[in-house]
Amino acid sequence: MSAAEFGQQFINALSLGSIYALVAIGLAMVFSILRLINFAHGETLMIGAVAGVVLADRGLPWLIWLPLAVLITVGAGWLMERVAYRPMRGAPDVTLLLTSLGVSIALQNGALLTLGSQPRPFPTPAVLGGQIPLAGGVQISRVNLVTIAIAIVLMIALTWFVTRTQTGIAMRATAENAMAARLMGINTNTVIIAAFLIGAALAGVAGFLWGSRVGRVEYDMGFIPVLKAFVATVIGGFGSIPGAVLGAYILGFGEIFLVALLPDYLTSYRDAFIFVALILILLIRPQGILGSTEPEKI
Amino acid sequence: MLALHDVRVFYGAIEAVKGISFEVRQGELVTIVGANGAGKTTTLRTISGIYRPATGSITFEGQDLTALPSHEIVALGISQSPEGRLIFGSLSVRDNLMLGATRRADRATIPEDLDYIFSLFPVLGERINQSGGTLSGGEQQMLAIGRALMARPRLLLLDEPSLGLAPMLVNRIFAVISRLKETGVTILLVEQNARKALEVADRAYVMETGHIILEGDARSLATNPEIKKAYLGG
């Protein structure tokens, strides 16, 4: 691999990892507080992308439809918590997991009914199209650069939120010990809603970036990203937000460089390699890289 | 100030608290003593709204607490230093203390309360930026009490503040409890260390397997031969 090629793949990996990270953060946040693996989180991403298509069809410029689409995604996250998960509060983990699968299937079918089974082109804004030529024949696609930049900005904002704001600190406290948090006077409902809203907003942005990347929108487009985000959170340590981000970038780099380095006849097995790696991690270090080994609290 | 009447609490199918009634009056330091598993912690957690009583009433200054969520009970002026301390280990000492002030309306006086807590427990001031998990057991207990005080409670619930501490630290914690009482905070103290608790308290209740079996003023209970035999080591 030449240096130029390496540089290009490096940016690719960073960009892919950034999208996984944006999705994985929402998964990790909700899990850390509710012990809920929200598989329907992928559908929030899909809703964000679909909302973008629908709004752009109305002739709105992207600077208007993008924030609107994110707002709609946040609304979907709020509704999901209110309608599906809140009534299940305190139910066994397996019930929560099944609920999230149910929500996921329901939303996919809802999208299938309204959108049809045919992929629709994503209205990628013109500024995100094309490549930027760099020295040595390296070309970087604008969408990759924008993806990386947006992810960095959002992650800095999130770090500020969880370390500097009262709600953010309350969120970490609730994740660590919900009963102690309640004894402090923290309204854990507010914290849970905040986790869903923030996760949905990040997924909405990820929907936009993913749509721009693959150029199309489908009713089941959330499945692969959420599965990858799930792998990322397992690698990093489930429930840890920094872990989820770290896992997402490890996964992004793993995928891109596997394809770059493997002989052609093996590249289509990329996901198989990823999931074998997942199984190995679960066997060797089930708590993930940054996960704690503390025993389950009773 | 606080009154419980015929409160029963179930843990699944197990009845942990079997119809207890007691009261805490303004300015008092009341203690509930008893062995492990007597239902003391369950009682405190029920007052704080973590558990719900199956029957009975809990009132604070005439207001019914049994239907209120925990965070509103804290807002009314009841805060708790829980059994096992339950410090947020990944958060700094400062953040732990600030979380205690979650429900406070008068944010402007928070700095002077921090200073007050550092005067009670100087070591917390030295470790303000350290994460709670790095503190020793005694320091964590101080942090748990300090955190509860940050709510500026009118009723402070202390659950086993001396549990697992070395005798010297136990004395320090009880000295602080006495000092807090002098400042006018009403305190409900749950303790297995009956000797120490009866020394500082005004009145006491003795709990055994979910019932209150004895009550009275702390001094006379401390000399009660039955109590001496069962809880004070002869």
Side-chain angles (χ1 to χ4, degrees):
Chain A
M1 194 188 285
S2 70
E5 208 181 317
F6 177 82
Q8 210 155 316
Q9 298 292 15
F10 188 86
I11 299 289
N12 266 338
L14 218 50
S15 162
L16 186 63
S18 294
I19 296 186
Y20 291 161
L22 291 179
V23 182
I25 288 167
L27 271 189
M29 247 184 182
V30 166
F31 180 83
S32 70
I33 297 168
L34 286 180
R35 309 279 127 182
L36 157 70
I37 300 173
N38 183 15
F39 274 112
H41 192 52
E43 274 57 55
T44 24
L45 178 148
M46 177 270 288
I47 287 169
V50 169
V53 171
V54 172
L55 291 168
D57 276 355
R58 301 261 179 283
L60 294 172
W62 72 275
L63 274 173
I64 307 274
W65 67 249
L66 172 57
L68 279 180
V70 172
L71 216 61
I72 289 170
T73 317
V74 169
W78 177 80
L79 211 63
M80 216 183 264
E81 194 278 330
R82 195 71 197 79
V83 174
Y85 297 131
R86 194 175 301 181
M88 292 293 162
R89 201 76 66 71
D93 293 359
V94 177
T95 313
L96 291 174
L97 182 67
L98 289 176
T99 306
S100 84
L101 287 173
V103 172
S104 166
I105 292 167
L107 289 174
Q108 277 194 26
N109 282 283
L112 185 61
L113 283 173
T114 49
L115 204 69
S117 59
Q118 290 300 311
R120 302 265 298 266
F122 190 77
T124 308
V127 288
L128 295 191
Q131 313 271 331
I132 300 169
L134 292 182
V138 183
Q139 294 212 326
I140 294 173
S141 73
R142 283 174 198 258
V143 71
N144 277 344
L145 276 187
V146 169
T147 300
I148 295 164
I150 287 179
I152 289 172
V153 169
L154 289 178
M155 282 188 266
I156 290 172
L158 184 73
T159 306
W160 173 81
F161 172 77
V162 297
T163 56
R164 295 274 182 273
T165 69
Q166 212 188 350
T167 310
I169 294 168
M171 193 177 275
R172 284 157 67 209
T174 307
E176 195 173 322
N177 189 323
M179 185 180 75
R182 288 169 63 193
L183 289 174
M184 296 304 105
I186 292 167
N187 183 346
T188 44
N189 257 334
T190 311
V191 167
I192 290 166
I193 292 166
F196 271 93
L197 297 190
I198 292 168
L202 297 177
V205 173
F208 168 76
L209 297 170
W210 188 263
S212 299
R213 183 186 182 84
V214 300
R216 59 178 197 282
V217 162
E218 285 168 275
Y219 71 97
D220 62 352
M221 68 182 289
F223 180 66
I224 290 297
V226 82
L227 211 56
K228 296 293 171 66
F230 176 68
V231 175
T233 49
V234 171
I235 294 172
F238 227 112
S240 153
I241 295 173
V245 172
L246 180 67
Y249 282 105
I250 290 175
L251 187 62
F253 275 85
E255 278 189 28
I256 295 290
F257 282 92
L258 264 180
V259 174
L261 298 173
L262 284 175
D264 281 346
Y265 65 95
L266 281 179
T267 52
S268 56
Y269 294 105
R270 180 186 70 179
D271 285 355
F273 283 105
I274 297 294
F275 288 110
V276 168
L278 171 67
I279 292 168
L280 289 177
I281 288 168
L282 285 173
L283 286 173
I284 299 162
R285 200 176 155 81
Q287 73 274 29
I289 298 171
L290 299 183
S292 68
T293 50
E294 271 177 61
E296 192 80 355
K297 286 184 292 265
I298 312 166
Chain B
M1 190 177 208
L2 177 80
L4 278 76
H5 182 72
D6 193 30
V7 170
R8 287 168 194 276
V9 189
F10 287 85
Y11 245 170
I14 302 158
E15 190 176 9
V17 173
K18 301 170 182 169
I20 61 168
S21 304
F22 68 87
E23 61 166 343
V24 180
R25 293 187 282 261
Q26 177 96 40
E28 270 190 322
L29 199 174
V30 173
T31 183
I32 303 177
V33 296
N36 211 355
K40 308 184 301 294
T41 292
T42 306
T43 302
L44 281 200
R45 288 184 181 174
T46 307
I47 295 169
S48 285
I50 299 292
Y51 305 138
R52 294 288 175 212
T55 64
S57 71
I58 303 174
T59 54
F60 180 65
E61 295 176 332
Q63 186 171 0
D64 183 29
L65 299 185
T66 51
L68 287 185
S70 297
H71 58 95
E72 285 180 24
I73 292 173
V74 176
L76 286 178
I78 303 178
S79 72
Q80 179 171 161
S81 159
E83 184 190 23
R85 300 144 200 160
L86 308 188
I87 291 303
F88 301 109
S90 65
L91 301 182
S92 68
V93 168
R94 179 196 302 277
D95 284 346
N96 269 282
L97 290 170
M98 290 305 287
L99 282 171
T102 299
R103 303 303 302 185
R104 271 181 52 174
D106 51 337
R107 315 295 301 176
T109 51
I110 286 177
E112 60 186 74
D113 281 15
L114 280 175
D115 287 342
Y116 170 60
I117 283 157
F118 297 150
S119 74
L120 289 176
F121 305 115
V123 66
L124 295 182
E126 292 159 25
R127 302 189 187 235
I128 183 137
N129 292 316
Q130 239 169 279
S131 69
T134 63
L135 302 186
S136 71
E139 290 162 355
Q140 288 194 1
Q141 186 57 59
M142 296 173 195
L143 180 54
I145 295 174
R147 197 176 58 171
L149 287 173
M150 284 303 288
R152 274 214 183 170
R154 281 176 299 143
L155 173 62
L156 175 65
L157 309 177
L158 298 174
D159 197 351
E160 304 281 9
S162 76
L163 195 67
L165 298 186
M168 253 191 48
L169 278 169
V170 172
N171 290 336
R172 284 228 17 222
I173 296 286
F174 274 96
V176 168
I177 293 171
S178 300
R179 200 169 143 191
L180 289 175
K181 175 189 156 46
E182 282 158 26
T183 65
V185 189
T186 310
I187 300 174
L188 177 57
L189 165 70
V190 152
E191 261 293 345
Q192 284 184 57
N193 188 337
R195 180 186 303 276
K196 279 279 169 198
L198 291 176
E199 264 175 41
V200 295
D202 299 312
R203 288 189 308 114
Y205 295 88
V206 181
M207 259 186 109
E208 212 173 271
T209 59
H211 296 283
I212 288 178
I213 54 159
L214 261 177
E215 60 179 278
D217 99 278
R219 219 142 286 155
S220 64
L221 277 184
T223 55
N224 179 318
E226 264 180 77
I227 299 291
K228 271 184 149 171
K229 195 165 157 230
Y231 298 103
L232 304 177

